[in-house]
Amino acid sequence: MAERKGQHLCSACGPKWYADGTPTEYGTWHDQFERVFLPRGQFKTNREGNLEHIETGRTDFRAFAITPEQAK
């Protein structure tokens, strides 16, 4: 995925294969911490490096959590 090239990604968002087709260790959730689904396009990384809701500026992202089914 060219739009993600060079970005730091969680294990679930990372590519499953390198450009040459070799498999990576990414592309699946590793269950190292709680997985929280958020509405796509509604958050950004703020100056402190935390998630911030674009419309409200709130950083309590768990208040905006959605179900995995809603995230599809």
Side-chain angles (χ1 to χ4, degrees), residues 15-37:
K16 290 186 177 189
W17 299 277
Y18 291 107
D20 67 1
T22 306
T24 71
E25 67 273 25
Y26 306 110
T28 58
W29 189 250
H30 291 155
D31 290 321
Q32 293 182 2
F33 50 87
E34 176 190 5
R35 188 170 185 180
V36 177
F37 292 88

Side-chain angles (χ1 to χ4, degrees), residues 8-60:
H8 294 281
L9 304 170
C10 73
S11 61
C13 294
K16 290 186 177 189
W17 299 277
Y18 291 107
D20 67 1
T22 306
T24 71
E25 67 273 25
Y26 306 110
T28 58
W29 189 250
H30 291 155
D31 290 321
Q32 293 182 2
F33 50 87
E34 176 190 5
R35 188 170 185 180
V36 177
F37 292 88
L38 298 170
R40 189 180 310 266
Q42 293 188 22
F43 288 84
K44 67 177 183 176
T45 303
N46 65 15
R47 291 181 183 175
E48 292 81 32
N50 298 314
L51 286 176
E52 180 179 299
H53 189 252
I54 293 171
E55 285 186 26
T56 65
R58 290 173 53 181
T59 57
D60 58 335

Side-chain angles (χ1 to χ4, degrees), residues 36-40 64-68 70-72:
V36 177
F37 292 88
L38 298 170
R40 189 180 310 266
F64 298 90
I66 59 175
T67 67
Q70 292 171 308
K72 292 180 181 179

